[in-house]
Amino acid sequence: RIADPARSTSFSPAAQVYDATRTVPAEVIDAALERIERQTGSSAVHTRVLDLGCGTGQFSTALCTRGYAQVLGMDISAEMLGMVAAKGGHCVLLAVGDARHIGLASDSIDLCVSSKLFLHIREWTDAVDEILRVLRPQGSFAYVNESGFFNNPVRRRFRRLAADRGIRRRFPGPLRMDPVIERFTAAGCEHIQTPAQALSWDHSISFRAAFAELEARAFAEFWSIPEDIYGELLDEVAAWIRIQPDGWDKVEQMKPGLRIDLFRSPEH
C-alpha cells in the first residue's frame, strides 16, 4: 500500500536544489508582476503584499527590486525562508506560517501572491478562506501556476511507471483550477485569468539532467513513493533512456509559461 500524500507539504527537503530545478527567468517574473500591477492598481509605495508559500522568494525578491517596501514572505518551511534571506531581499519580512492559519489581522493585506499553493494542501479550502479573511475589501489575490516546465519525457515516463504501480494520487490538493475558481467566485470574488501563453519562455533540458533531478528527489509530486519502489522506478527509467535515440544526451526543447488567476475580493 502506498502512503497518501501528507496533509500539507513542506519543501524543506528540496530547499538546497529548489531554484536550480525550478528556474523561471527574472524577466518573466517581472512581466508577471507588471501584469498583476496593471490589473490590480497596486503601487510599490502603498501596497502591503503577502507572498504566501513564498518558497525561496522568487516573487518576494522581485517585488523588492520593483520598489515594494512592505512585503511579507510566509512559508511553512524555515529552510526555504533561509534561502530567501540568503538572497538579501531586505524589504522582505520573513515568517514561518501555515496558509490554513495565517497569523495576520483581518483586512490587513492589499495584495496576496502565491504560486501553486493549493496543490500542496489537503485542506486547501481553509487556505482560501484565510486568504479572503486577511485581504482588505477589494483587495486582490494573484495565483500563479506554471504550465509545461516539468512535462519532459523523462518525468512523464517516471509518472507513467508510478501510475502502473497504482501510485496515482501524488498531491494532497486539487490538480485542476476549476474547484479553486469556484471557491473564490462563490465567495463573491471577481475572477480574471491571464493564459500561460502570454508569459512564456524557452526552456531546454537533457534526459541526463531530467534524470538527475529525479535522482535528487527534488519534486514533492513523488515524495509519497517509498524508497525501494522509487529506486526500482529510477532503474526502469534509466533502462528506457538507454534505448532512446541519443540516449542520455537527448535534449528536449520546451515552451513553459505562467498562468495567472486574479481574484478581487468583494466589499464587505
Side-chain angles (χ1 to χ4, degrees), residues 12 95 101 117 121 139 148 153 155 157 183 187 193 200 223 244:
S12 294
H101 307 286
L117 175 72
I121 304 175
R155 184 161 167 163
R157 183 72 179 183
R183 185 76 178 186
Q193 179 190 332
S200 62
W223 286 349
Q244 302 307 303

Side-chain angles (χ1 to χ4, degrees), residues 32-97:
L33 290 174
E34 183 178 349
R35 187 175 293 268
I36 291 169
E37 287 174 348
R38 288 203 309 267
Q39 292 175 330
T40 64
S42 302
S43 69
V45 177
H46 300 294
T47 301
R48 189 180 187 202
V49 185
L50 170 63
D51 185 358
L52 188 58
C54 65
T56 59
Q58 290 185 341
F59 278 92
S60 296
T61 54
L63 284 161
C64 280
T65 301
R66 293 184 70 82
Y68 284 77
Q70 302 180 77
V71 180
L72 172 61
M74 181 177 291
D75 200 278
I76 201 169
S77 166
E79 287 79 4
M80 294 290 271
L81 294 179
M83 302 300 291
V84 185
K87 293 178 180 179
H90 300 300
C91 84
V92 185
L93 177 65
L94 301 175
V96 175

Side-chain angles (χ1 to χ4, degrees), residues 134-154:
V134 301
L135 281 180
R136 64 168 176 77
Q138 294 290 282
S140 299
F141 173 58
Y143 192 48
V144 182
N145 274 292
E146 161 276 327
S147 174
F149 188 81
F150 299 116
N151 200 30
N152 62 74
V154 173

Side-chain angles (χ1 to χ4, degrees), residues 28-253:
V28 175
I29 292 178
D30 198 55
L33 290 174
E34 183 178 349
R35 187 175 293 268
I36 291 169
E37 287 174 348
R38 288 203 309 267
Q39 292 175 330
T40 64
S42 302
S43 69
V45 177
H46 300 294
T47 301
R48 189 180 187 202
V49 185
L50 170 63
D51 185 358
L52 188 58
C54 65
T56 59
Q58 290 185 341
F59 278 92
S60 296
T61 54
L63 284 161
C64 280
T65 301
R66 293 184 70 82
Y68 284 77
Q70 302 180 77
V71 180
L72 172 61
M74 181 177 291
D75 200 278
I76 201 169
S77 166
E79 287 79 4
M80 294 290 271
L81 294 179
M83 302 300 291
V84 185
K87 293 178 180 179
H90 300 300
C91 84
V92 185
L93 177 65
L94 301 175
V96 175
D98 190 324
R100 297 164 297 184
H101 307 286
I102 302 171
L104 298 175
S106 299
D107 303 338
S108 61
I109 294 295
D110 300 300
L111 171 65
C112 180
V113 178
S114 192
S115 176
K116 285 190 168 181
L117 175 72
F118 304 123
L119 188 66
H120 300 292
I121 304 175
R122 185 166 297 178
E123 298 91 352
W124 63 272
T125 56
D126 292 345
V128 171
D129 294 345
E130 273 290 86
I131 290 167
L132 291 172
R133 181 186 67 80
V134 301
L135 281 180
R136 64 168 176 77
Q138 294 290 282
S140 299
F141 173 58
Y143 192 48
V144 182
N145 274 292
E146 161 276 327
S147 174
F149 188 81
F150 299 116
N151 200 30
N152 62 74
V154 173
R155 184 161 167 163
R156 288 202 307 269
R157 183 72 179 183
F158 189 95
R159 190 183 295 121
R160 188 177 304 118
L161 291 170
D164 289 345
R165 299 218 184 184
I167 307 168
R168 295 183 176 86
R169 179 177 171 82
R170 296 182 297 273
F171 292 103
L175 292 174
R176 295 175 54 83
M177 274 298 298
D178 293 348
V180 176
I181 294 170
E182 289 172 5
R183 185 76 178 186
F184 276 100
T185 55
C189 293
E190 176 189 3
H191 174 227
I192 304 169
Q193 179 190 332
T194 297
Q197 294 89 334
L199 294 165
S200 62
W201 68 97
D202 295 317
H203 173 64
S204 62
I205 187 168
S206 70
F207 279 24
R208 189 182 307 279
F211 186 82
E213 292 178 349
L214 290 172
E215 277 190 310
R217 298 204 71 157
F219 305 113
E221 177 183 5
F222 305 122
W223 286 349
S224 63
I225 302 176
E227 288 285 348
D228 57 339
I229 296 177
Y230 198 96
E232 292 171 6
L233 294 176
L234 283 177
D235 290 342
E236 292 178 38
V237 171
W240 174 80
I241 291 174
R242 293 188 192 101
I243 64 173
Q244 302 307 303
D246 298 325
W248 296 96
D249 296 325
K250 168 72 175 176
V251 174
E252 181 75 4
Q253 305 292 336

